[in-house]
Amino acid sequence: MTWLLIGALTVGCYFFKASGVLAAGNLRLSSNGESALSYLTPAVLSGLIMVQTFDGGGTLEIGAITIGVVVGAIAACAKTPFPLVLVLASVATAITRLL
Amino acid sequence: MNNPLKALWSKEHKRDGFLLGVAVGSFGITFGVLAISAGLSGPKAAVMSLVVFTGASQFAAVGIVNSGGEPISALGTALLLSARNGAYALSLSQVMPNKLSRRLLAAQLVIDESAAMSKAQSNLQDAKEAFWVTGLSVFFFWNAGTLVGILLGEVVGDPLVWGLDAAFPAAFVALLLPHIKERGKRRAAILGAGVALLTIPLVPSGVPVVLAASSAAIVSWGESRR
C-alpha cells in the first residue's frame, strides 16, 4: 500500500460523494440507474469473495483459505460479531495449514 | 447528565445514530488490526480511515494488496464499491446544507449508515439531524477504532498473519450480508459470484471482479423488464 494509492483512493471515493452532492437538484437518476448503482456493491463484493477464496493464480483452487472463509461465512450468517468472524476465519485457515 | 447530552439522548433518531457510530467502532478496530497485519504502517492505516473514510473500499484495497494484487485493481475495485455513495448523496439532496463549503464537508460523511438513518426519518428536520449525528458519530468511532486497532495490531497481529488471507474474504462476506436483503441485490450478488468464478481461469487477475460488477447492470435491466 503506497501513499500514492492512498491518495488515489481518497480522491476517487470523495469524487463520488461530492459529485452526488453537487449534482443534486440538477440531476435525477432514473430508477434503472439508481438500482444499477445499488446492485454494484453486492455484485462487486461477491465477485471479490470468490476471487479471494478460490483464485489460486489463474486456476480455481480449494484449500486452506476456502475452509477459513466457509467458517467465517457461517459465523457471519449466525450474526457473530464482526471481529470474531474474522478471527474464526483466520484461525480455521491457520489450523488447516498446520494439519 | 449535562444538557447537550440529555438533548441527544431524549431524541430517538439522534440516539440511534450515535449508537450506530459506536457499533461501527468495532469495524474500525478490525480494520486497524488487519491493516497492520497486512503490513501497512500505523500512519498509513490511520490516514486511510481519516481521508478515504469508506469502510468496504478500505478493506477491499488492503485485502487486494495483501493477496498480491496490482495497485490498479485495488483502486478499481475500491472505487466500484464506493460508487453507491454517489447515489446516496443524490438522494440526500434536501438534507444537505445550502452553503457550498458545508455541502462539500457533508459529502465526506455520506456513507451507508448516515444515508440509511437519514432516509428512515419522516420529517426533514429529523432527517438532517439524523444525517449529521450518525455521520459524525461514525466518523469519530471509525477513526478512534482504527487507532485502537493499530495499537492492538502491533500486539496481536502476528498470530493473525497465519490466516490473514482468509480474514479478508470473510470480512467481505460479513459486509455483503446487509446488502442482499432485497431480491434484486441478491440476484446481483449471485450473478457476480458466478461471473467471477467462471472468468478466474480465463482473464488476468483483477479483471474477474470488474466483470462481476457488470452483473449490476444486467440484473438492473432484467428487473426493469419484469
Side-chain angles (χ1 to χ4, degrees), chain A residues 53-92:
Chain A
T53 306
F54 296 109
D55 187 359
T59 51
L60 293 177
E61 196 176 276
I62 293 177
I65 296 177
T66 320
I67 309 275
V69 177
V70 170
V71 169
I74 293 169
C77 290
K79 299 203 191 307
T80 308
F82 186 68
L84 195 56
V85 168
L86 275 61
V87 169
L88 289 172
S90 180
V91 167

PDB file of all heavy atoms in Angstrom, chain A residues 53-92:
ATOM      1  N   THR A  53     -11.260 -16.266  -2.431  1.00  0.00           N
ATOM      2  CA  THR A  53     -11.444 -17.585  -1.834  1.00  0.00           C
ATOM      3  C   THR A  53     -10.940 -18.699  -2.742  1.00  0.00           C
ATOM      4  O   THR A  53     -10.403 -19.702  -2.266  1.00  0.00           O
ATOM      5  CB  THR A  53     -12.945 -17.816  -1.521  1.00  0.00           C
ATOM      6  OG1 THR A  53     -13.421 -16.730  -0.729  1.00  0.00           O
ATOM      7  CG2 THR A  53     -13.149 -19.110  -0.738  1.00  0.00           C
ATOM      8  N   PHE A  54     -11.122 -18.528  -4.049  1.00  0.00           N
ATOM      9  CA  PHE A  54     -10.863 -19.648  -4.960  1.00  0.00           C
ATOM     10  C   PHE A  54      -9.753 -19.421  -5.983  1.00  0.00           C
ATOM     11  O   PHE A  54      -9.377 -20.344  -6.695  1.00  0.00           O
ATOM     12  CB  PHE A  54     -12.149 -20.017  -5.712  1.00  0.00           C
ATOM     13  CG  PHE A  54     -13.249 -20.515  -4.823  1.00  0.00           C
ATOM     14  CD1 PHE A  54     -14.369 -19.740  -4.587  1.00  0.00           C
ATOM     15  CD2 PHE A  54     -13.160 -21.766  -4.212  1.00  0.00           C
ATOM     16  CE1 PHE A  54     -15.393 -20.199  -3.755  1.00  0.00           C
ATOM     17  CE2 PHE A  54     -14.163 -22.227  -3.386  1.00  0.00           C
ATOM     18  CZ  PHE A  54     -15.284 -21.444  -3.152  1.00  0.00           C
ATOM     19  N   ASP A  55      -9.255 -18.172  -6.111  1.00  0.00           N
ATOM     20  CA  ASP A  55      -8.265 -17.917  -7.156  1.00  0.00           C
ATOM     21  C   ASP A  55      -6.877 -18.344  -6.693  1.00  0.00           C
ATOM     22  O   ASP A  55      -6.273 -17.722  -5.834  1.00  0.00           O
ATOM     23  CB  ASP A  55      -8.254 -16.421  -7.515  1.00  0.00           C
ATOM     24  CG  ASP A  55      -7.347 -16.138  -8.718  1.00  0.00           C
ATOM     25  OD1 ASP A  55      -6.731 -17.097  -9.227  1.00  0.00           O
ATOM     26  OD2 ASP A  55      -7.265 -14.974  -9.139  1.00  0.00           O
ATOM     27  N   GLY A  56      -6.403 -19.435  -7.270  1.00  0.00           N
ATOM     28  CA  GLY A  56      -5.045 -19.878  -6.957  1.00  0.00           C
ATOM     29  C   GLY A  56      -4.092 -19.499  -8.066  1.00  0.00           C
ATOM     30  O   GLY A  56      -3.377 -20.344  -8.578  1.00  0.00           O
ATOM     31  N   GLY A  57      -4.114 -18.230  -8.467  1.00  0.00           N
ATOM     32  CA  GLY A  57      -3.235 -17.759  -9.533  1.00  0.00           C
ATOM     33  C   GLY A  57      -3.704 -18.193 -10.910  1.00  0.00           C
ATOM     34  O   GLY A  57      -2.969 -18.835 -11.655  1.00  0.00           O
ATOM     35  N   GLY A  58      -4.937 -17.846 -11.235  1.00  0.00           N
ATOM     36  CA  GLY A  58      -5.464 -18.152 -12.560  1.00  0.00           C
ATOM     37  C   GLY A  58      -6.134 -19.509 -12.671  1.00  0.00           C
ATOM     38  O   GLY A  58      -6.679 -19.850 -13.719  1.00  0.00           O
ATOM     39  N   THR A  59      -6.089 -20.294 -11.604  1.00  0.00           N
ATOM     40  CA  THR A  59      -6.851 -21.548 -11.590  1.00  0.00           C
ATOM     41  C   THR A  59      -7.736 -21.551 -10.348  1.00  0.00           C
ATOM     42  O   THR A  59      -7.420 -20.921  -9.347  1.00  0.00           O
ATOM     43  CB  THR A  59      -5.929 -22.781 -11.525  1.00  0.00           C
ATOM     44  OG1 THR A  59      -5.012 -22.594 -10.439  1.00  0.00           O
ATOM     45  CG2 THR A  59      -5.162 -22.972 -12.818  1.00  0.00           C
ATOM     46  N   LEU A  60      -8.851 -22.278 -10.441  1.00  0.00           N
ATOM     47  CA  LEU A  60      -9.712 -22.395  -9.265  1.00  0.00           C
ATOM     48  C   LEU A  60      -9.074 -23.384  -8.306  1.00  0.00           C
ATOM     49  O   LEU A  60      -8.599 -24.445  -8.704  1.00  0.00           O
ATOM     50  CB  LEU A  60     -11.107 -22.872  -9.683  1.00  0.00           C
ATOM     51  CG  LEU A  60     -11.893 -21.870 -10.537  1.00  0.00           C
ATOM     52  CD1 LEU A  60     -13.224 -22.472 -10.961  1.00  0.00           C
ATOM     53  CD2 LEU A  60     -12.118 -20.581  -9.782  1.00  0.00           C
ATOM     54  N   GLU A  61      -9.056 -23.005  -7.039  1.00  0.00           N
ATOM     55  CA  GLU A  61      -8.357 -23.816  -6.073  1.00  0.00           C
ATOM     56  C   GLU A  61      -9.160 -23.874  -4.772  1.00  0.00           C
ATOM     57  O   GLU A  61      -9.632 -22.848  -4.296  1.00  0.00           O
ATOM     58  CB  GLU A  61      -6.988 -23.170  -5.800  1.00  0.00           C
ATOM     59  CG  GLU A  61      -5.990 -24.059  -5.124  1.00  0.00           C
ATOM     60  CD  GLU A  61      -4.642 -23.329  -5.000  1.00  0.00           C
ATOM     61  OE1 GLU A  61      -3.865 -23.352  -5.976  1.00  0.00           O
ATOM     62  OE2 GLU A  61      -4.403 -22.728  -3.942  1.00  0.00           O
ATOM     63  N   ILE A  62      -9.328 -25.068  -4.239  1.00  0.00           N
ATOM     64  CA  ILE A  62      -9.973 -25.199  -2.931  1.00  0.00           C
ATOM     65  C   ILE A  62      -8.898 -25.582  -1.934  1.00  0.00           C
ATOM     66  O   ILE A  62      -8.187 -26.569  -2.139  1.00  0.00           O
ATOM     67  CB  ILE A  62     -11.098 -26.256  -2.974  1.00  0.00           C
ATOM     68  CG1 ILE A  62     -12.230 -25.745  -3.866  1.00  0.00           C
ATOM     69  CG2 ILE A  62     -11.606 -26.552  -1.565  1.00  0.00           C
ATOM     70  CD1 ILE A  62     -13.358 -26.724  -4.054  1.00  0.00           C
ATOM     71  N   GLY A  63      -8.720 -24.767  -0.891  1.00  0.00           N
ATOM     72  CA  GLY A  63      -7.627 -25.036   0.039  1.00  0.00           C
ATOM     73  C   GLY A  63      -7.895 -24.485   1.415  1.00  0.00           C
ATOM     74  O   GLY A  63      -9.059 -24.323   1.812  1.00  0.00           O
ATOM     75  N   ALA A  64      -6.827 -24.163   2.112  1.00  0.00           N
ATOM     76  CA  ALA A  64      -6.939 -23.693   3.494  1.00  0.00           C
ATOM     77  C   ALA A  64      -7.770 -22.412   3.586  1.00  0.00           C
ATOM     78  O   ALA A  64      -8.548 -22.237   4.530  1.00  0.00           O
ATOM     79  CB  ALA A  64      -5.548 -23.469   4.076  1.00  0.00           C
ATOM     80  N   ILE A  65      -7.611 -21.530   2.583  1.00  0.00           N
ATOM     81  CA  ILE A  65      -8.378 -20.276   2.612  1.00  0.00           C
ATOM     82  C   ILE A  65      -9.870 -20.565   2.512  1.00  0.00           C
ATOM     83  O   ILE A  65     -10.683 -19.979   3.224  1.00  0.00           O
ATOM     84  CB  ILE A  65      -7.946 -19.343   1.458  1.00  0.00           C
ATOM     85  CG1 ILE A  65      -6.485 -18.934   1.632  1.00  0.00           C
ATOM     86  CG2 ILE A  65      -8.831 -18.123   1.385  1.00  0.00           C
ATOM     87  CD1 ILE A  65      -5.951 -18.070   0.515  1.00  0.00           C
ATOM     88  N   THR A  66     -10.207 -21.516   1.605  1.00  0.00           N
ATOM     89  CA  THR A  66     -11.620 -21.846   1.413  1.00  0.00           C
ATOM     90  C   THR A  66     -12.256 -22.284   2.737  1.00  0.00           C
ATOM     91  O   THR A  66     -13.366 -21.845   3.079  1.00  0.00           O
ATOM     92  CB  THR A  66     -11.774 -22.979   0.383  1.00  0.00           C
ATOM     93  OG1 THR A  66     -10.841 -22.748  -0.670  1.00  0.00           O
ATOM     94  CG2 THR A  66     -13.171 -23.034  -0.168  1.00  0.00           C
ATOM     95  N   ILE A  67     -11.533 -23.144   3.469  1.00  0.00           N
ATOM     96  CA  ILE A  67     -12.048 -23.622   4.760  1.00  0.00           C
ATOM     97  C   ILE A  67     -12.321 -22.431   5.690  1.00  0.00           C
ATOM     98  O   ILE A  67     -13.391 -22.327   6.300  1.00  0.00           O
ATOM     99  CB  ILE A  67     -11.015 -24.558   5.443  1.00  0.00           C
ATOM    100  CG1 ILE A  67     -10.543 -25.652   4.486  1.00  0.00           C
ATOM    101  CG2 ILE A  67     -11.550 -25.098   6.772  1.00  0.00           C
ATOM    102  CD1 ILE A  67     -11.399 -26.862   4.411  1.00  0.00           C
ATOM    103  N   GLY A  68     -11.355 -21.546   5.768  1.00  0.00           N
ATOM    104  CA  GLY A  68     -11.497 -20.387   6.654  1.00  0.00           C
ATOM    105  C   GLY A  68     -12.669 -19.504   6.270  1.00  0.00           C
ATOM    106  O   GLY A  68     -13.417 -19.036   7.134  1.00  0.00           O
ATOM    107  N   VAL A  69     -12.841 -19.267   4.957  1.00  0.00           N
ATOM    108  CA  VAL A  69     -13.921 -18.395   4.508  1.00  0.00           C
ATOM    109  C   VAL A  69     -15.281 -19.043   4.792  1.00  0.00           C
ATOM    110  O   VAL A  69     -16.227 -18.359   5.207  1.00  0.00           O
ATOM    111  CB  VAL A  69     -13.778 -18.060   3.009  1.00  0.00           C
ATOM    112  CG1 VAL A  69     -14.955 -17.214   2.545  1.00  0.00           C
ATOM    113  CG2 VAL A  69     -12.478 -17.319   2.760  1.00  0.00           C
ATOM    114  N   VAL A  70     -15.370 -20.363   4.587  1.00  0.00           N
ATOM    115  CA  VAL A  70     -16.634 -21.058   4.875  1.00  0.00           C
ATOM    116  C   VAL A  70     -16.968 -20.927   6.365  1.00  0.00           C
ATOM    117  O   VAL A  70     -18.104 -20.595   6.739  1.00  0.00           O
ATOM    118  CB  VAL A  70     -16.567 -22.546   4.452  1.00  0.00           C
ATOM    119  CG1 VAL A  70     -17.764 -23.318   4.977  1.00  0.00           C
ATOM    120  CG2 VAL A  70     -16.500 -22.651   2.931  1.00  0.00           C
ATOM    121  N   VAL A  71     -15.967 -21.143   7.214  1.00  0.00           N
ATOM    122  CA  VAL A  71     -16.177 -20.992   8.661  1.00  0.00           C
ATOM    123  C   VAL A  71     -16.621 -19.557   8.992  1.00  0.00           C
ATOM    124  O   VAL A  71     -17.587 -19.338   9.727  1.00  0.00           O
ATOM    125  CB  VAL A  71     -14.891 -21.351   9.443  1.00  0.00           C
ATOM    126  CG1 VAL A  71     -14.993 -20.940  10.908  1.00  0.00           C
ATOM    127  CG2 VAL A  71     -14.608 -22.844   9.334  1.00  0.00           C
ATOM    128  N   GLY A  72     -15.927 -18.593   8.393  1.00  0.00           N
ATOM    129  CA  GLY A  72     -16.279 -17.189   8.622  1.00  0.00           C
ATOM    130  C   GLY A  72     -17.682 -16.865   8.128  1.00  0.00           C
ATOM    131  O   GLY A  72     -18.429 -16.135   8.790  1.00  0.00           O
ATOM    132  N   ALA A  73     -18.053 -17.404   6.968  1.00  0.00           N
ATOM    133  CA  ALA A  73     -19.369 -17.130   6.389  1.00  0.00           C
ATOM    134  C   ALA A  73     -20.473 -17.691   7.283  1.00  0.00           C
ATOM    135  O   ALA A  73     -21.496 -17.034   7.510  1.00  0.00           O
ATOM    136  CB  ALA A  73     -19.464 -17.719   4.985  1.00  0.00           C
ATOM    137  N   ILE A  74     -20.259 -18.899   7.792  1.00  0.00           N
ATOM    138  CA  ILE A  74     -21.252 -19.494   8.694  1.00  0.00           C
ATOM    139  C   ILE A  74     -21.393 -18.630   9.947  1.00  0.00           C
ATOM    140  O   ILE A  74     -22.494 -18.318  10.396  1.00  0.00           O
ATOM    141  CB  ILE A  74     -20.854 -20.944   9.070  1.00  0.00           C
ATOM    142  CG1 ILE A  74     -20.936 -21.839   7.830  1.00  0.00           C
ATOM    143  CG2 ILE A  74     -21.753 -21.486  10.183  1.00  0.00           C
ATOM    144  CD1 ILE A  74     -20.318 -23.217   8.001  1.00  0.00           C
ATOM    145  N   ALA A  75     -20.257 -18.203  10.476  1.00  0.00           N
ATOM    146  CA  ALA A  75     -20.275 -17.357  11.671  1.00  0.00           C
ATOM    147  C   ALA A  75     -21.005 -16.046  11.392  1.00  0.00           C
ATOM    148  O   ALA A  75     -21.815 -15.578  12.203  1.00  0.00           O
ATOM    149  CB  ALA A  75     -18.852 -17.085  12.154  1.00  0.00           C
ATOM    150  N   ALA A  76     -20.742 -15.452  10.217  1.00  0.00           N
ATOM    151  CA  ALA A  76     -21.378 -14.178   9.870  1.00  0.00           C
ATOM    152  C   ALA A  76     -22.886 -14.345   9.741  1.00  0.00           C
ATOM    153  O   ALA A  76     -23.661 -13.498  10.189  1.00  0.00           O
ATOM    154  CB  ALA A  76     -20.781 -13.618   8.584  1.00  0.00           C
ATOM    155  N   CYS A  77     -23.313 -15.451   9.109  1.00  0.00           N
ATOM    156  CA  CYS A  77     -24.750 -15.705   8.941  1.00  0.00           C
ATOM    157  C   CYS A  77     -25.417 -15.930  10.291  1.00  0.00           C
ATOM    158  O   CYS A  77     -26.599 -15.659  10.463  1.00  0.00           O
ATOM    159  CB  CYS A  77     -24.990 -16.907   8.029  1.00  0.00           C
ATOM    160  SG  CYS A  77     -24.562 -16.572   6.319  1.00  0.00           S
ATOM    161  N   ALA A  78     -24.655 -16.437  11.267  1.00  0.00           N
ATOM    162  CA  ALA A  78     -25.197 -16.664  12.616  1.00  0.00           C
ATOM    163  C   ALA A  78     -25.104 -15.392  13.465  1.00  0.00           C
ATOM    164  O   ALA A  78     -25.236 -15.446  14.678  1.00  0.00           O
ATOM    165  CB  ALA A  78     -24.456 -17.814  13.291  1.00  0.00           C
ATOM    166  N   LYS A  79     -24.863 -14.244  12.783  1.00  0.00           N
ATOM    167  CA  LYS A  79     -24.811 -12.939  13.446  1.00  0.00           C
ATOM    168  C   LYS A  79     -23.720 -12.842  14.519  1.00  0.00           C
ATOM    169  O   LYS A  79     -23.878 -12.161  15.534  1.00  0.00           O
ATOM    170  CB  LYS A  79     -26.173 -12.577  14.048  1.00  0.00           C
ATOM    171  CG  LYS A  79     -27.286 -12.483  13.014  1.00  0.00           C
ATOM    172  CD  LYS A  79     -28.390 -11.602  13.544  1.00  0.00           C
ATOM    173  CE  LYS A  79     -29.659 -11.632  12.728  1.00  0.00           C
ATOM    174  NZ  LYS A  79     -29.574 -11.373  11.342  1.00  0.00           N
ATOM    175  N   THR A  80     -22.618 -13.545  14.296  1.00  0.00           N
ATOM    176  CA  THR A  80     -21.454 -13.409  15.174  1.00  0.00           C
ATOM    177  C   THR A  80     -20.870 -12.006  14.986  1.00  0.00           C
ATOM    178  O   THR A  80     -20.849 -11.511  13.862  1.00  0.00           O
ATOM    179  CB  THR A  80     -20.403 -14.467  14.774  1.00  0.00           C
ATOM    180  OG1 THR A  80     -21.040 -15.739  14.740  1.00  0.00           O
ATOM    181  CG2 THR A  80     -19.241 -14.502  15.752  1.00  0.00           C
ATOM    182  N   PRO A  81     -20.411 -11.355  16.067  1.00  0.00           N
ATOM    183  CA  PRO A  81     -19.809 -10.010  15.901  1.00  0.00           C
ATOM    184  C   PRO A  81     -18.663 -10.026  14.888  1.00  0.00           C
ATOM    185  O   PRO A  81     -17.910 -10.993  14.798  1.00  0.00           O
ATOM    186  CB  PRO A  81     -19.286  -9.696  17.306  1.00  0.00           C
ATOM    187  CG  PRO A  81     -20.105 -10.542  18.219  1.00  0.00           C
ATOM    188  CD  PRO A  81     -20.461 -11.783  17.454  1.00  0.00           C
ATOM    189  N   PHE A  82     -18.580  -8.913  14.139  1.00  0.00           N
ATOM    190  CA  PHE A  82     -17.636  -8.803  13.024  1.00  0.00           C
ATOM    191  C   PHE A  82     -16.190  -9.207  13.365  1.00  0.00           C
ATOM    192  O   PHE A  82     -15.608 -10.043  12.658  1.00  0.00           O
ATOM    193  CB  PHE A  82     -17.694  -7.371  12.486  1.00  0.00           C
ATOM    194  CG  PHE A  82     -16.889  -7.123  11.250  1.00  0.00           C
ATOM    195  CD1 PHE A  82     -17.234  -7.696  10.039  1.00  0.00           C
ATOM    196  CD2 PHE A  82     -15.778  -6.288  11.295  1.00  0.00           C
ATOM    197  CE1 PHE A  82     -16.493  -7.443   8.894  1.00  0.00           C
ATOM    198  CE2 PHE A  82     -15.033  -6.037  10.155  1.00  0.00           C
ATOM    199  CZ  PHE A  82     -15.394  -6.610   8.955  1.00  0.00           C
ATOM    200  N   PRO A  83     -15.600  -8.671  14.454  1.00  0.00           N
ATOM    201  CA  PRO A  83     -14.195  -9.049  14.709  1.00  0.00           C
ATOM    202  C   PRO A  83     -14.030 -10.550  14.924  1.00  0.00           C
ATOM    203  O   PRO A  83     -13.044 -11.139  14.465  1.00  0.00           O
ATOM    204  CB  PRO A  83     -13.849  -8.285  16.002  1.00  0.00           C
ATOM    205  CG  PRO A  83     -14.835  -7.171  16.061  1.00  0.00           C
ATOM    206  CD  PRO A  83     -16.093  -7.699  15.442  1.00  0.00           C
ATOM    207  N   LEU A  84     -15.026 -11.162  15.573  1.00  0.00           N
ATOM    208  CA  LEU A  84     -14.942 -12.590  15.859  1.00  0.00           C
ATOM    209  C   LEU A  84     -15.032 -13.426  14.576  1.00  0.00           C
ATOM    210  O   LEU A  84     -14.373 -14.467  14.441  1.00  0.00           O
ATOM    211  CB  LEU A  84     -16.063 -12.967  16.844  1.00  0.00           C
ATOM    212  CG  LEU A  84     -15.942 -14.321  17.532  1.00  0.00           C
ATOM    213  CD1 LEU A  84     -14.613 -14.434  18.266  1.00  0.00           C
ATOM    214  CD2 LEU A  84     -17.097 -14.514  18.520  1.00  0.00           C
ATOM    215  N   VAL A  85     -15.848 -12.953  13.613  1.00  0.00           N
ATOM    216  CA  VAL A  85     -15.950 -13.634  12.317  1.00  0.00           C
ATOM    217  C   VAL A  85     -14.562 -13.751  11.678  1.00  0.00           C
ATOM    218  O   VAL A  85     -14.161 -14.811  11.177  1.00  0.00           O
ATOM    219  CB  VAL A  85     -16.898 -12.861  11.364  1.00  0.00           C
ATOM    220  CG1 VAL A  85     -16.795 -13.385   9.938  1.00  0.00           C
ATOM    221  CG2 VAL A  85     -18.334 -12.935  11.854  1.00  0.00           C
ATOM    222  N   LEU A  86     -13.821 -12.642  11.734  1.00  0.00           N
ATOM    223  CA  LEU A  86     -12.502 -12.617  11.093  1.00  0.00           C
ATOM    224  C   LEU A  86     -11.497 -13.493  11.832  1.00  0.00           C
ATOM    225  O   LEU A  86     -10.679 -14.176  11.211  1.00  0.00           O
ATOM    226  CB  LEU A  86     -11.990 -11.175  11.010  1.00  0.00           C
ATOM    227  CG  LEU A  86     -12.494 -10.416   9.787  1.00  0.00           C
ATOM    228  CD1 LEU A  86     -13.996 -10.307   9.759  1.00  0.00           C
ATOM    229  CD2 LEU A  86     -11.886  -9.050   9.731  1.00  0.00           C
ATOM    230  N   VAL A  87     -11.593 -13.467  13.157  1.00  0.00           N
ATOM    231  CA  VAL A  87     -10.693 -14.304  13.955  1.00  0.00           C
ATOM    232  C   VAL A  87     -10.962 -15.780  13.665  1.00  0.00           C
ATOM    233  O   VAL A  87     -10.023 -16.565  13.431  1.00  0.00           O
ATOM    234  CB  VAL A  87     -10.863 -14.008  15.472  1.00  0.00           C
ATOM    235  CG1 VAL A  87     -10.139 -15.048  16.304  1.00  0.00           C
ATOM    236  CG2 VAL A  87     -10.353 -12.607  15.791  1.00  0.00           C
ATOM    237  N   LEU A  88     -12.250 -16.167  13.625  1.00  0.00           N
ATOM    238  CA  LEU A  88     -12.601 -17.567  13.359  1.00  0.00           C
ATOM    239  C   LEU A  88     -12.093 -18.005  11.984  1.00  0.00           C
ATOM    240  O   LEU A  88     -11.520 -19.090  11.827  1.00  0.00           O
ATOM    241  CB  LEU A  88     -14.121 -17.761  13.457  1.00  0.00           C
ATOM    242  CG  LEU A  88     -14.707 -17.688  14.872  1.00  0.00           C
ATOM    243  CD1 LEU A  88     -16.226 -17.696  14.830  1.00  0.00           C
ATOM    244  CD2 LEU A  88     -14.196 -18.855  15.716  1.00  0.00           C
ATOM    245  N   ALA A  89     -12.310 -17.148  10.972  1.00  0.00           N
ATOM    246  CA  ALA A  89     -11.856 -17.477   9.616  1.00  0.00           C
ATOM    247  C   ALA A  89     -10.340 -17.654   9.581  1.00  0.00           C
ATOM    248  O   ALA A  89      -9.806 -18.606   8.996  1.00  0.00           O
ATOM    249  CB  ALA A  89     -12.291 -16.383   8.643  1.00  0.00           C
ATOM    250  N   SER A  90      -9.670 -16.727  10.253  1.00  0.00           N
ATOM    251  CA  SER A  90      -8.208 -16.741  10.250  1.00  0.00           C
ATOM    252  C   SER A  90      -7.665 -17.969  10.973  1.00  0.00           C
ATOM    253  O   SER A  90      -6.753 -18.658  10.483  1.00  0.00           O
ATOM    254  CB  SER A  90      -7.724 -15.447  10.917  1.00  0.00           C
ATOM    255  OG  SER A  90      -6.340 -15.411  10.943  1.00  0.00           O
ATOM    256  N   VAL A  91      -8.243 -18.266  12.136  1.00  0.00           N
ATOM    257  CA  VAL A  91      -7.778 -19.409  12.925  1.00  0.00           C
ATOM    258  C   VAL A  91      -8.044 -20.728  12.181  1.00  0.00           C
ATOM    259  O   VAL A  91      -7.181 -21.617  12.136  1.00  0.00           O
ATOM    260  CB  VAL A  91      -8.466 -19.422  14.321  1.00  0.00           C
ATOM    261  CG1 VAL A  91      -8.241 -20.742  15.029  1.00  0.00           C
ATOM    262  CG2 VAL A  91      -7.939 -18.269  15.166  1.00  0.00           C
ATOM    263  N   ALA A  92      -9.240 -20.835  11.563  1.00  0.00           N
ATOM    264  CA  ALA A  92      -9.567 -22.063  10.833  1.00  0.00           C
ATOM    265  C   ALA A  92      -8.559 -22.310   9.707  1.00  0.00           C
ATOM    266  O   ALA A  92      -8.111 -23.446   9.478  1.00  0.00           O
ATOM    267  CB  ALA A  92     -10.986 -21.981  10.274  1.00  0.00           C
TER     268      ALA A  92
END
